[in-house]
Amino acid sequence: MSYSNTDARFGATARTLHWLTALLILTAIALGLIASDLPHDTGEALARKAQIFSLHKTIGIAAFAVALIRILWAFTQPRPAPLHPERVLEHRLAEIVHWLLYISMLAVPLSGWIHHAAVSGFAPILWPFGQGLPFVPKSDLVATAATWAHEIFGKVLIASVVLHIAGALKHAIIDRDGTLSRIVHGTEIEAPRQHRPLWPAATAIALYAAGTIAALTLAQNEAEALQIAEPVPVAAPAETTATPASANAWTVTEGTLGFGVKQMGSAVDGTFGAWTAKIDFSETPTNGEHGHVRVRIDTTTLTLGSVTDQAKGADFFDTATHPDAVFDATILPGAEAKGYLAKGTLTLRGVTIPVEMPFTLDLQGDTAKMTGTTTLDRRDFGMGATYKDESSVGFGVTVSVNLTARRG
Ligand code: HEM
Ligand code: HEM
């Protein structure tokens, strides 16, 4: 068996790589379309959808790796000449489609991978690859652009594959020549060598450039529309209060309220964009208490990577019915130096349960930096009742607060 190509036949390496890529790409297309169409309204449905996406991503990356090898190999090889030199237009069309296929083999999985790396959570790759990719920031804009690119490039790929298969079948059924047999069996058929102009490759590159510009424009428009639609406040101003500010009142100048959960075994981090805090605090305790804190959280401003919509849904935060969560606590001395304990209740989804959050304070004159974390159990609030085990969503939710407050 000969592994290399000649002007008259495809060698075993080119044929194996052709059919392996074809198998992987066709499987990835089928899984991508099936997974996108699956519902995600219950825990089981979401878990099944995520599993098929995980498989889709894993096979897609395998397709990317094989395609890379295939393209590198093709560079070193002669390409068998077409069997009907007189059909110039047909050959040029086939060339454009071949170039579109070569570009798609890399661009489709790469855009999917960039989307995966730019978001957090949902459907991990079933290989020892983490969520991230070098040079790809966690960014909504990058994720949206990559999603559009994946969708547009995916459609170009599907259209090219359809044309490519139609051409192959035409050769086999209508022309009854050896074109298909050359790539299936490696049949050797002599044909005169032909000049191959560059414009079919240039046409394929231009089509891809247009697809890329379309993806970037759509992502930009979407980002602008979102900014107009929801101007989410980022800072956390002090909760307005009718009572006059006490000498121990503190105003939050900046801060973040974050939470983390394990999704399909991978950590996903989320934040609440808008919340207010009313803090009364004194370094010297009175009756064993340092003060009081009340935090009101606008749950509709939560973000949780690519699963924000699911987290806001009725199964989890149910933000449509419960747009507010309230943490109300007394500040007590903590176990360690600079340490305190906020001991009180958290009301979330209409359920109130006792919660304790140990925190540290770094006091510099009238400015304090506060850092605290606590772990909650989502089941205590009736969250994710249909997610009965931890395989898709973990039970533990880590809440972390980092803020800077000014006295007065
Ligand atoms: C996702 C699936 C597929 C991809 C990405 C793909 C890609 C390609 C590429 C890039 C070439 C050009 C090879 C070269 O000249 O260096 C090629 C050749 C060829 N492919 Fe496919 N292919 C796929 C599926 C198929 C299928 C399903 C068939 C048959 C029904 C087929 C039949 C052929 C034939 C006959 C050739 C040789 C064309 C010639 O001699 O000019 N391919 N394929
Ligand atoms: C040859 C490889 C691949 C092909 C042919 C492919 C194809 C597809 C198709 C046809 C869809 C459905 C799009 C729609 O419903 O309009 C899809 C969706 C998706 N694919 Fe791929 N894909 C590939 C590789 C990857 C890889 C490597 C990843 C990530 C690591 C990925 C991530 C996704 C995601 C997240 C979606 C959902 C739609 C989105 O939000 O972008 N894909 N893919």
Side-chain angles (χ1 to χ4, degrees):
M1 186 173 3
S2 175
Y3 292 100
S4 303
N5 291 3
T6 66
D7 283 348
R9 58 135 217 268
F10 284 105
T13 316
R15 281 183 285 127
T16 309
L17 289 170
H18 174 268
W19 291 111
L20 189 57
T21 345
L23 182 70
L24 290 169
I25 289 180
L26 293 175
T27 313
I29 292 176
L31 290 173
L33 293 174
I34 292 169
S36 295
D37 267 0
L38 283 178
H40 53 267
D41 44 354
T42 65
E44 285 87 40
L46 183 62
R48 199 166 41 247
K49 191 176 172 95
Q51 265 159 10
I52 298 190
F53 262 125
S54 280
L55 204 59
H56 168 77
K57 292 176 180 181
T58 309
I59 288 175
I61 287 174
F64 177 73
V66 176
L68 247 168
I69 297 171
R70 174 165 182 201
I71 289 168
L72 292 176
W73 176 253
F75 270 123
T76 68
Q77 299 293 303
R79 294 165 78 188
L83 298 182
H84 303 281
E86 71 288 358
R87 297 181 192 166
V88 177
L89 185 63
E90 191 178 310
H91 290 153
R92 299 297 173 255
L93 278 177
E95 283 269 284
I96 294 174
V97 172
H98 285 170
W99 280 107
L100 284 175
L101 288 171
Y102 275 127
I103 303 173
S104 306
M105 279 182 221
L106 300 180
V108 175
L110 205 58
S111 53
W113 206 350
I114 291 174
H115 162 84
H116 174 80
V119 298
S120 52
F122 197 52
I125 297 164
L126 307 173
W127 277 2
F129 291 116
Q131 177 105 34
L133 266 184
F135 311 115
V136 178
K138 292 264 176 261
S139 139
D140 284 346
L141 187 61
V142 173
T144 316
T147 302
W148 276 114
H150 197 56
E151 199 171 326
I152 295 171
F153 297 169
K155 290 202 161 65
V156 173
L157 170 65
I158 293 172
S160 313
V161 170
V162 168
L163 287 172
H164 182 65
I165 295 177
L169 293 180
K170 175 188 172 282
H171 280 291
I173 298 166
I174 300 174
D175 300 342
R176 291 173 181 273
D177 61 18
T179 304
L180 185 56
S181 171
R182 278 209 303 203
I183 197 93
V184 176
H185 306 292
T187 313
E188 188 156 356
I189 307 173
E190 294 292 344
R193 258 205 98 60
Q194 280 198 331
H195 163 67
R196 288 183 197 257
L198 283 177
W199 69 260
T203 308
I205 293 170
L207 280 171
Y208 251 90
T212 310
I213 292 169
L216 292 175
T217 314
L218 286 163
Q220 189 69 43
N221 290 349
E222 229 166 80
E224 276 164 18
L226 272 179
Q227 260 166 23
I228 294 162
E230 34 176 325
V232 176
V234 241
E239 190 170 76
T240 47
T241 164
T243 51
S246 82
N248 295 328
W250 292 73
T251 307
V252 177
T253 51
E254 59 178 314
T256 52
L257 179 55
F259 62 100
V261 65
K262 283 250 158 127
Q263 209 219 356
M264 298 187 77
S266 316
V268 196
D269 293 322
T271 51
F272 292 99
W275 48 279
T276 56
K278 181 175 183 295
I279 305 172
D280 276 300
F281 174 82
S282 156
E283 294 92 318
T284 330
T286 311
N287 301 328
E289 293 180 5
H290 285 279
H292 186 262
V293 59
R294 184 179 166 84
V295 182
R296 182 179 287 278
I297 303 155
D298 180 349
T299 59
T300 62
T301 64
L302 81 82
T303 52
L304 183 60
S306 56
V307 283
T308 300
D309 289 345
Q310 283 86 347
K312 285 184 179 173
D315 251 358
F316 287 93
F317 283 86
D318 196 6
T319 58
T321 320
H322 302 287
D324 278 342
V326 175
F327 178 53
D328 200 276
T330 303
I331 304 173
L332 304 171
E336 41 185 283
K338 289 191 181 177
Y340 299 89
L341 181 72
K343 184 172 178 178
T345 56
L346 174 63
T347 306
L348 187 59
R349 290 181 105 239
V351 180
T352 303
I353 63 157
V355 166
E356 294 187 1
M357 175 182 280
F359 66 92
T360 55
L361 264 194
D362 188 6
L363 276 161
Q364 308 269 340
D366 284 341
T367 304
K369 282 193 192 310
M370 179 255 175
T371 312
T373 28
T374 191
T375 302
L376 308 171
D377 189 320
R378 65 171 167 84
R379 293 168 298 178
D380 293 342
F381 298 93
M383 273 199 190
T386 57
Y387 298 71
K388 294 201 169 45
D389 59 25
E390 297 199 271
S391 58
S392 34
V393 186
F395 295 143
V397 180
T398 326
V399 178
S400 51
V401 186
N402 283 292
L403 61 83
T404 306
R406 192 174 20 83
R407 201 190 298 263

